Amino acid sequence: SSSSGSKSSTGGIISSTGCGSYYDVLEIQRTATQREIRAAYRAAALQWHPDKNVGNEKEAERRFIEISEAFSVLRDETARRQYDSSGTTGRGSSSVRRGSGFDFNQASELFKENFGETLWKHWSPGQEITGVLQRHGKRISVTIHPDGSSEEHEEDSAGGSYTYVKSGGSGGTSVSVSFS
C-alpha cells in the first residue's frame, strides 16, 4: 500500500519501505547537515551490511537497502527539497512508496563509493581502521571507529589510485597497501 503523504515523527514523508521517513531511517533530524547525513548513513550501513549480519542476512539486506535509499535521496539537495515538500524523490515519475525500484546492487554501489572495495571488510566492532580511497577523482581518508562511527577528510591528491588500510584492535595492528 502507498504511504505517500503520511508524516513521520520527524515530519518527513514515509520511506518507500514503509518504515518511517528517510530521516527516521537514518535516525537524524530534518535539519541535519550533509556531514550529519553522511555520518548517519555510514554508521547504519556498516551496522546493517548483510556480510556483517551472519544468520540475519534477509533482514540486514532489507535494512541495508532502506538505509541506502534514504541516503541517496537526502544527500542530493534537489531530491531532498522535493522529498521534504511533496513526498516525491524527483527521480522518475513515482512518488515515494513501497517498491520504488531501489535495489541491493544500487545499495552496494553506494556503499563502495563511501567505503571503497576493501576498507569495510577489515573493520569489525571494537576495532579502529583507517583507509584511503578515491572518490570522484579525490583522495579521501576514512576512519571507522570501534563503535561504527566514521569520519573522512579529503587529502591532497597527486593523481593515480591507491588503497591504504590500517587496522588496530586487541589482535594488534595490520597494514595493507595497494597501488594501481
Side-chain angles (χ1 to χ4, degrees):
S1 73
S2 175
S3 53
S4 180
S6 300
K7 296 284 184 177
S8 74
S9 61
T10 55
I13 307 300
I14 302 299
S15 76
S16 68
T17 56
C19 296
S21 77
Y22 287 145
Y23 298 99
D24 291 336
V25 168
L26 294 179
E27 298 180 9
I28 56 174
Q29 297 298 312
R30 283 185 61 134
T31 55
T33 64
Q34 286 299 311
R35 177 172 280 202
E36 292 167 331
I37 291 167
R38 181 176 296 278
Y41 162 75
R42 287 171 167 277
L46 272 175
Q47 177 185 354
W48 286 102
H49 192 283
D51 289 352
K52 299 286 184 186
N53 285 275
V54 176
N56 191 23
E57 292 90 347
K58 208 170 192 93
E59 173 68 7
E61 182 175 322
R62 184 188 67 76
R63 293 291 304 273
F64 181 68
I65 292 169
E66 175 181 69
I67 290 159
S68 299
E69 179 181 7
F71 177 62
S72 76
V73 170
L74 297 180
R75 75 177 183 162
D76 178 319
E77 291 293 339
T78 303
R80 182 180 182 185
R81 276 193 302 277
Q82 184 165 353
Y83 172 74
D84 287 345
S85 67
S86 67
T88 63
T89 63
R91 298 174 179 174
S93 60
S94 65
S95 63
V96 178
R97 62 178 158 265
R98 186 175 299 278
S100 66
F102 202 88
D103 64 21
F104 186 76
N105 289 334
Q106 290 169 300
S108 293
E109 285 304 312
L110 193 56
F111 190 81
K112 286 179 194 173
E113 177 186 314
N114 280 273
F115 290 103
E117 292 283 337
T118 60
L119 180 64
W120 66 275
K121 292 178 183 177
H122 294 279
W123 178 83
S124 60
Q127 182 178 42
E128 182 164 293
I129 187 167
T130 301
V132 178
L133 56 101
Q134 289 284 125
R135 184 187 313 135
H136 307 298
K138 297 178 181 174
R139 197 164 280 166
I140 308 294
S141 176
V142 178
T143 299
I144 305 172
H145 299 288
D147 64 359
S149 64
S150 64
E151 59 190 74
E152 67 177 47
H153 68 273
E154 190 175 315
E155 296 187 346
D156 292 331
S157 179
S161 175
Y162 75 95
T163 301
Y164 161 83
V165 176
K166 175 184 177 189
S167 61
S170 60
T173 300
S174 67
V175 176
S176 88
V177 179
S178 66
F179 296 91
S180 59

